[in-house]
Amino acid sequence: LNGGAGTSVLLETIAGLSHKNSFAGIGVGLDHYRFRTVPLFISLRQAFGNGKRSLFVYGNAGYHFDWLTDENKKRYNTFFINNNYSGSIYYDAGVGYSFGFKKADAFLLSAGFSYKEVKNTSEINGCPIAGPCNNDVQTYKYQMPRLVFKAGWRF
């Protein structure tokens, strides 16, 4: 994964069914781009061509769950008295090429665009010297568009 927040690794596995040149499945992953999250998604793929090698397009869409590291929590929890993170939408779409071997085995290379969001609701204690104390609640939305380059194995 590569975007404005740097370069990171995405690991995912997808299980599903194929029929002719079409594939549909359910996937889960581990995404370390800026915040560690766990995407859970539906995956669709359509191949073009009947040989062992073929061009394909794919699309993944779903929800990713926040699973922040201690480093993430430390970096983004500076002066707040309460921080609540939550995952949000996740999608990934692109084009690739399949290098087929024996039976259904193939090496897959693809490039595409991926997007995820992490929402943070933070509470700040606003207590003046004299008077009532008020807690200010702020919501932040971290939007993370990025380029994705994948290598995989189909069996």
Side-chain angles (χ1 to χ4, degrees):
L1 300 168
N2 191 15
T7 302
S8 186
V9 173
L10 166 70
L11 302 171
E12 55 185 31
T13 184
I14 303 169
L17 300 170
S18 291
H19 178 68
K20 297 186 181 182
N21 289 345
S22 300
F23 172 84
I26 296 176
V28 64
L30 185 57
D31 186 337
H32 279 275
Y33 186 78
R34 190 169 186 181
F35 297 97
R36 180 178 62 187
T37 60
V38 178
L40 180 62
F41 55 93
I42 294 173
S43 181
L44 301 173
R45 184 171 53 234
Q46 179 66 45
F48 303 99
N50 292 323
K52 289 201 177 273
R53 297 177 184 219
S54 61
L55 185 68
F56 65 88
V57 294
Y58 74 91
N60 300 332
Y63 187 89
H64 72 93
F65 300 90
D66 63 293
W67 185 25
L68 274 62
T69 63
D70 289 339
E71 182 182 324
N72 286 150
K73 290 176 187 175
K74 229 187 268 185
R75 175 183 285 171
Y76 295 101
N77 292 358
T78 52
F79 57 90
F80 303 110
I81 59 172
N82 191 10
N83 261 321
N84 294 311
Y85 288 90
S86 62
S88 187
I89 61 170
Y90 166 80
Y91 63 84
D92 174 12
V95 62
Y97 197 77
S98 174
F99 300 89
F101 299 109
K102 60 182 178 179
K103 297 185 183 180
D105 290 357
F107 179 68
L108 309 173
L109 288 175
S110 64
F113 177 81
S114 180
Y115 178 84
K116 77 173 181 177
E117 285 181 2
V118 171
K119 294 179 185 175
N120 176 13
T121 304
S122 300
E123 191 175 344
I124 302 172
N125 190 347
C127 213
I129 295 172
C133 293
N134 298 325
N135 288 344
D136 182 27
V137 177
Q138 299 177 354
T139 301
Y140 300 92
K141 186 188 295 184
Y142 297 94
Q143 299 174 328
M144 292 163 266
R146 61 265 173 95
L147 297 175
V148 61
F149 301 98
K150 296 182 183 182
W153 188 264
R154 180 185 72 211
F155 55 93

